[in-house]
Amino acid sequence: MLSVEELNEKLLDLAFSEDIGDGDHTTLCCIPADAIGESKLMIKQEGIFAGVEIAKKVFHRFDPELIVDVYIEEGAHVMPGDIVMSVKGREQSLLQTERLMLNILQRMSGIATMTHKYQQALIDAGTKTRVLDTRKTTPGMRMLEKEAVKIGGGMNHRIGLFDMILLKDNHIDFCGGVHNAITRAKQYCKDHQKNLKIECEVRNFKELDEALAEGCDRIMFDNFSPEDTRKAVEIVGGRCETESSGGITFENMIPYAKTGVDFISFGALTHSVKGLDMSFKAAGSDKLQIK
């Protein structure tokens, strides 16, 4: 299995290949190879800044001689007009790395911003419920998007299909019920010497009773109402972790959180996020000023 670093390296390989191809002919035709300049990254929208480490990797992967100065670290609350970093070096390199760096930073910052909004609202409501992401991520960018969730104050659910067992409705139906699904999961872990947490999705109180009888690490309440969620949390009584999922949005999440559920998972954190607006402009450009 590839490490996070190896996965990100492969992502950058593909990203540079699809963007530059056999050469950035616009830059090559009009910018001298020895021209040296500086560009600055300016924030144009309030939010949470995320992605500085991968941005550095983009620059240094393409041109190790680029000098990156970071003024505002990731996780910080930023405002329009903030200059978060400057990069000095060959102008050709600055131009060829600009779009890839912006694409990554804007998306990661957008995810961090949305996650922070959700988690802070739950805290302000006086709950201890934590925000979870899902596997509804952009192919190839999962590690970066899940890192952005953590930067925004949320928590990662499983990374992929390999680091946790999550028995969802289709698994349960194919197995013939919750009892069979959990029993097989435990036997699989024993047979293959896998120390994996087991989570089981339940759709009603009958399945909840079965899951509790078999025992697992976490139970997910799928499309329960807030009232049923409160009842389910009381039935579980702290015997395992609890999670709410399905049809929960920023607008209706507080009643769920106030039931005492441990986690609420939101696919929207990664599949419906809007990138945070920012720009990378030559030092001295009038476009570095917020109008």
Side-chain angles (χ1 to χ4, degrees):
M1 184 175 68
L2 296 177
S3 68
V4 172
E5 285 297 317
E6 290 171 328
L7 286 170
N8 287 342
E9 291 291 342
K10 285 185 171 291
L11 170 64
L12 294 186
D13 284 341
L14 175 61
F16 277 125
S17 177
E18 70 181 2
D19 197 37
I20 296 177
D22 70 344
D24 173 9
H25 303 303
T26 307
T27 294
L28 296 176
C29 78
C30 62
I31 305 297
D34 59 353
I36 302 297
E38 177 183 7
S39 292
K40 295 184 177 182
L41 182 67
M42 184 184 71
I43 300 298
K44 301 171 71 176
Q45 182 181 2
E46 182 179 1
I48 302 297
F49 179 57
V52 65
E53 294 305 318
I54 189 67
K56 290 179 184 178
K57 188 178 292 290
V58 168
F59 292 125
H60 292 149
R61 176 77 175 277
F62 188 81
D63 184 347
E65 295 183 6
L66 288 175
I67 300 171
V68 182
D69 290 315
V70 178
Y71 308 123
I72 299 177
E73 294 298 332
E74 62 185 3
H77 181 223
V78 290
M79 298 292 291
D82 284 346
I83 303 297
V84 296
M85 72 170 67
S86 66
V87 187
K88 301 175 184 177
R90 295 183 181 88
E91 292 177 353
Q92 285 190 352
S93 297
L94 295 176
L95 289 165
Q96 292 178 88
T97 53
E98 173 188 339
R99 177 44 54 197
L100 175 55
M101 176 274 299
L102 282 174
N103 285 348
I104 292 173
L105 283 185
Q106 286 182 301
R107 182 155 185 83
M108 288 187 69
S109 296
I111 291 170
T113 298
M114 180 181 284
T115 303
H116 179 267
K117 175 184 175 182
Y118 280 50
Q119 187 63 68
Q120 192 60 50
L122 294 181
I123 293 172
D124 292 343
T127 80
K128 295 182 180 180
T129 303
R130 298 300 305 272
V131 169
L132 286 180
D133 55 23
T134 70
R135 286 170 51 241
K136 297 175 182 177
T137 56
T138 307
M141 288 193 67
R142 179 172 296 174
M143 298 305 180
L144 298 180
E145 293 182 346
K146 283 185 171 281
E147 178 64 22
V149 167
K150 291 195 293 184
I151 292 170
M155 294 179 65
N156 295 152
H157 204 281
R158 57 181 179 165
I159 298 300
L161 296 172
F162 55 87
D163 60 332
M164 182 180 184
I165 291 177
L166 174 50
L167 302 167
K168 294 182 69 67
D169 54 356
N170 283 335
H171 300 95
I172 292 166
D173 289 341
F174 282 136
C175 283
V178 167
H179 167 79
N180 290 346
I182 296 179
T183 299
R184 292 178 188 178
K186 289 182 176 180
Q187 189 62 48
Y188 176 89
C189 289
K190 181 179 179 180
D191 292 344
H192 294 83
Q193 298 182 328
K194 296 286 186 182
N195 184 25
L196 297 173
K197 283 191 172 184
I198 298 174
E199 178 173 5
C200 184
E201 178 181 277
V202 300
R203 294 164 286 189
N204 51 57
F205 289 103
K206 178 179 180 296
E207 290 187 341
L208 172 58
D209 289 340
E210 289 183 52
L212 287 172
E214 294 305 320
C216 55
D217 297 290
R218 184 185 300 171
I219 294 177
M220 177 193 294
F221 311 130
D222 179 43
N223 285 297
F224 278 41
S225 68
E227 294 76 18
D228 283 348
T229 301
R230 183 179 301 279
K231 179 180 177 182
V233 169
E234 291 174 355
I235 291 172
V236 171
R239 283 178 280 178
C240 66
E241 295 177 334
T242 56
E243 176 185 343
S244 287
S245 181
I248 305 176
T249 66
F250 180 80
E251 288 72 25
N252 69 7
M253 68 180 183
I254 300 300
Y256 284 93
K258 287 189 174 181
T259 67
V261 70
D262 295 313
F263 305 101
I264 301 177
S265 51
F266 299 94
L269 296 180
T270 51
H271 73 56
S272 300
V273 71
K274 180 180 179 182
L276 194 72
D277 196 11
M278 58 187 74
S279 62
F280 192 57
K281 298 297 181 184
S285 169
D286 59 1
K287 292 185 178 180
L288 279 171
Q289 305 298 320
I290 292 290
K291 299 292 195 266

